[in-house]
Amino acid sequence: MSVFIRHYNPGSVYNAKIWRFASTTAETPKLTNGEDDEEFRVLDILKKRDKLQRRAPRKADVPPDRAEKMRTDQKWGDVWPGPKSFHPSSVPLPIRQGYVPKGQAPPGKKANAELMKIPNFLHLTPPVIKSQCEAIKKFCTEWPKLLNSEEAIEKHYPLEIITSDYCHASPVIRNPLSRIVILRIKLSDLKLDKHARDKFLRLVGDRYDGQTDLVTITADRCPVRRQNLDYVNYLLTACYHESWNYEDWEGDKTLQDMEYYDFDMNQSKRNLVNWHLLCLNEENNFSDEEIKLYDVASIPNATEYIESVSSLFNDGESDATLKKYDTSVRKLLGLPDKKIVT
Amino acid sequence: MNSIIKYAQCSSLSQWSPVFASQFHTSSALSRVVSGKYRITKKRDRPLTYEMANPPHFIAHRKSWNSWNTSSLKDGLRRSETAVEDEFIRRFLNGTWHGLVCSEVIIKRQFNHIRVAAIVRRAVSPTKMYFLIGYTEELLSNWIQCPVTLELQTVDSYKDVVFKYI
């Protein structure tokens, strides 16, 4: 390889230089092997690939399983302290899992994904639970001795508040359902007179269950449980005090407006009292109000009669109510029992 | 097209009905379920893991779920989010532990804790594996904003998890 450099100065002699580079490979005559020249190159159509030498994967030195070295008297809680997926080398149990055709053994514990899937309770062995209970015992307080039965609890704490806490797998701990608050109270625990009880039941509507005598008020309209709790308490208080209120128009209710049969307000009571006084040969000049307030407990067998008459009107005519009415009237009037002639 | 419509308008439907009837072909539905099932090869040399060997209708009978969470229960919260996150975790793990994961990626959620379990080949050095564990946990917990724990089991080669050949 060479470089021709022309250095030209005007008015002087033309000057040119040729540099010659010394190179080791560029211009040395190619050395060829005599043998290569003589042999033709073979055209390999079905070229077989030179086998690449595969690097053998390094075998890692895997120590023997931890389970094999475990002592029999070790503390299992230290080996498996918390919830963890199954790991075969630290569980010294010959576990197998998997469905196989009959006659085969199910897959063993190593490389068994099924065992890793199922939730295990290896961290909650009985001794561990016992020790954990011992540890948290110091935070517990004693149960009050007087509240030793359900009845005692009901008597001292008649109001029942039911809320739910939800535990779910999610980055947020909030669950909208936990806002719902249910208040339950026995109607007999509320101090209500006849009028107030009737009004309370009307206000409460279908929230009262006659069979269990429970009033259930549910609130879920507010976003937070605290607000719902306040609202439920407010509802109960408002209903209670409203039921004790006596409005002016409530006095206008007449016998025709009654939605149920009230014995004290009806003609039957007057008849009963009149008949009773007639039997006793007493003077009978009671006004309507006096008859209403007349205590029928003094009349023998009257309570049963009143009950049967009320049920006949309130529950409707049926074989049972009619039979009851029949026996109670016979008892009241001192007539002999009905003899069934066959 | 216009001429056909015109012809249809001028002619009565009774004339058309045999034509339509001959052009509509109906057949019963072929309810062939293919997804999640593997075909038998001629040489019977396709390796299947236990998971692959049991088709999807055996879930809860012969094999269990790969995702364990409360979102899939009735009235569960965050259903779509959980499903998308699970898929993301699976893809990320398969890409990060490229060619190493021998089983399905099992994702269990407890509270806000995500536990990811898998069976991994011992093809890389333990040092690399420790790095990958830390890397995966760190990145996933940063993205999902939850503590993520990797619970891996290692096997020598893929052949250890093969249940049968079909």
Side-chain angles (χ1 to χ4, degrees):
Chain A
M1 189 185 273
S2 56
V3 177
F4 185 79
I5 300 171
R6 200 162 54 170
H7 197 88
Y8 176 68
N9 282 340
S12 71
V13 187
Y14 180 74
N15 187 11
K17 277 179 191 170
I18 294 174
W19 291 89
R20 210 176 170 89
F21 296 119
S23 171
T24 50
T25 56
E27 289 178 21
T28 43
K30 222 174 188 179
L31 284 170
T32 49
N33 258 340
E35 292 167 10
D36 277 3
D37 282 338
E38 285 171 20
E39 240 180 54
F40 287 108
R41 284 196 294 160
V42 183
L43 178 64
D44 193 2
I45 296 172
L46 296 170
K47 206 172 188 180
K48 276 184 186 171
R49 269 209 180 160
D50 294 339
K51 269 199 175 170
L52 281 171
Q53 212 170 11
R54 264 208 167 162
R55 206 176 48 166
R58 249 183 315 164
K59 287 275 173 188
D61 298 334
V62 184
D65 280 355
R66 193 178 161 199
E68 288 168 18
K69 287 192 277 182
M70 284 176 180
R71 290 205 317 276
T72 48
D73 60 341
Q74 68 172 345
K75 269 181 113 180
W76 176 250
D78 297 344
V79 178
W80 204 280
K84 199 178 129 190
S85 286
F86 181 83
H87 200 279
S89 56
S90 43
V91 180
L93 302 169
I95 303 171
R96 291 176 167 274
Q97 187 178 355
Y99 176 86
V100 282
K102 220 174 180 183
Q104 290 182 26
K109 64 175 179 178
K110 285 205 169 172
N112 194 337
E114 289 305 303
L115 279 172
M116 298 169 77
K117 280 181 198 174
I118 51 164
N120 63 56
F121 288 91
L122 291 167
H123 60 291
L124 287 179
T125 48
V128 170
I129 293 174
K130 210 173 183 182
S131 68
Q132 286 179 357
C133 287
E134 286 296 321
I136 60 170
K137 221 171 207 174
K138 62 186 171 200
F139 300 113
C140 301
T141 51
E142 214 178 314
W143 185 257
K145 272 174 192 160
L146 288 173
L147 298 177
N148 47 7
S149 66
E150 282 289 317
E151 292 79 45
I153 295 169
E154 264 180 33
K155 192 189 158 208
H156 289 96
Y157 297 95
L159 202 70
E160 205 178 344
I161 299 281
I162 302 166
T163 55
S164 307
D165 292 312
Y166 292 86
C167 182
H168 49 96
S170 148
V172 285
I173 55 169
R174 321 220 177 276
N175 190 324
L177 291 176
S178 65
R179 76 186 190 282
I180 299 169
V181 175
I182 301 167
L183 179 143
R184 283 206 311 192
I185 191 168
K186 276 206 166 172
L187 192 64
S188 53
D189 289 329
L190 291 173
K191 279 173 194 153
L192 297 167
D193 66 354
K194 201 177 174 190
H195 161 259
R197 188 188 142 91
D198 183 50
K199 201 168 172 186
F200 188 83
L201 288 184
R202 281 160 193 274
L203 289 172
V204 160
D206 61 353
R207 291 173 192 84
Y208 174 70
D209 184 6
Q211 289 189 333
T212 52
D213 195 36
L214 280 171
V215 180
T216 312
I217 302 174
T218 310
D220 61 349
R221 55 174 62 187
C222 301
V224 182
R225 176 187 296 175
R226 177 82 211 172
Q227 296 169 336
N228 278 318
L229 185 66
D230 289 345
Y231 183 59
V232 151
N233 283 328
Y234 160 74
L235 281 181
L236 182 68
T237 319
C239 284
Y240 180 76
H241 287 290
E242 186 57 37
S243 61
W244 274 100
N245 273 353
Y246 198 90
E247 301 287 341
D248 295 337
W249 45 264
E250 283 177 44
D252 298 344
K253 195 173 178 183
T254 58
L255 193 62
Q256 278 76 37
D257 297 330
M258 288 303 288
E259 69 287 353
Y260 64 95
Y261 182 83
D262 191 355
F263 186 80
D264 289 343
M265 294 173 76
N266 276 283
Q267 181 67 32
S268 296
K269 170 122 186 210
R270 174 177 283 275
N271 293 346
L272 180 70
V273 173
N274 284 347
W275 168 79
H276 182 60
L277 295 177
L278 205 67
C279 289
L280 296 177
N281 286 325
E282 277 181 25
E283 219 165 298
N284 182 3
N285 45 9
F286 285 152
S287 67
D288 282 1
E289 279 304 303
E290 280 169 326
I291 280 183
K292 263 186 199 175
L293 295 172
Y294 190 86
D295 187 17
V296 287
S298 59
I299 310 170
N301 295 323
T303 46
E304 203 184 326
Y305 171 72
I306 292 166
E307 213 173 273
S308 65
V309 172
S310 302
S311 77
L312 187 63
F313 279 104
N314 285 331
D315 305 339
E317 275 188 22
S318 68
D319 286 350
T321 51
L322 281 173
K323 199 179 174 191
K324 203 175 156 196
Y325 179 70
D326 175 40
T327 50
S328 65
V329 170
R330 277 167 188 279
K331 262 188 194 170
L332 183 74
L333 300 178
L335 296 172
D337 281 352
K338 193 180 184 181
K339 276 181 189 162
I340 299 164
V341 183
T342 51
Chain B
M1 192 65 206
N2 276 328
S3 60
I4 295 174
I5 293 168
K6 273 180 190 168
Y7 181 64
Q9 281 167 348
C10 67
S11 64
S12 63
L13 258 176
S14 59
Q15 273 177 302
W16 273 87
S17 53
V19 180
F20 282 132
S22 66
Q23 282 169 352
F24 274 91
H25 294 273
T26 55
S27 59
S28 58
L30 176 63
S31 303
R32 184 156 176 262
V33 182
V34 179
S35 62
K37 295 179 176 180
Y38 295 87
R39 278 205 197 178
I40 297 173
T41 50
K42 266 186 189 169
K43 291 182 178 175
R44 296 294 187 103
D45 61 349
R46 173 178 289 176
L48 291 188
T49 61
Y50 184 84
E51 168 86 22
M52 292 152 86
N54 290 304
H57 65 269
F58 279 126
I59 293 173
H61 297 266
R62 291 185 188 176
K63 67 176 184 181
S64 51
W65 297 266
N66 286 325
S67 289
W68 289 75
N69 50 55
T70 57
S71 308
S72 44
L73 301 176
K74 188 176 175 286
D75 298 336
L77 299 175
R78 295 182 85 253
R79 288 181 193 174
S80 55
E81 288 93 333
T82 307
V84 169
E85 278 173 17
D86 281 7
E87 184 58 30
F88 177 76
I89 293 170
R90 293 221 161 83
R91 289 190 185 194
F92 180 76
L93 218 74
N94 278 320
T96 309
W97 299 74
H98 189 77
L100 300 178
V101 181
C102 298
S103 71
E104 297 293 318
V105 177
I106 302 152
I107 300 167
K108 293 184 230 174
R109 287 161 181 262
Q110 284 178 327
F111 309 116
N112 66 341
H113 186 193
I114 303 175
R115 293 194 285 130
V116 182
I119 298 176
V120 166
R121 237 160 24 105
R122 282 192 286 258
V124 294
S125 66
T127 331
K128 276 185 190 170
M129 227 175 240
Y130 281 128
F131 167 74
L132 279 180
I133 289 174
Y135 173 79
T136 314
E137 284 183 358
E138 187 68 28
L139 281 188
L140 281 178
S141 57
N142 252 308
W143 279 321
I144 307 174
Q145 292 292 313
C146 289
V148 179
T149 316
L150 234 61
E151 292 165 338
L152 299 177
Q153 192 188 136
T154 54
V155 288
D156 248 346
S157 73
Y158 186 77
K159 280 174 187 159
D160 291 350
V161 295
V162 172
F163 179 63
K164 65 175 178 185
Y165 291 91
I166 61 165

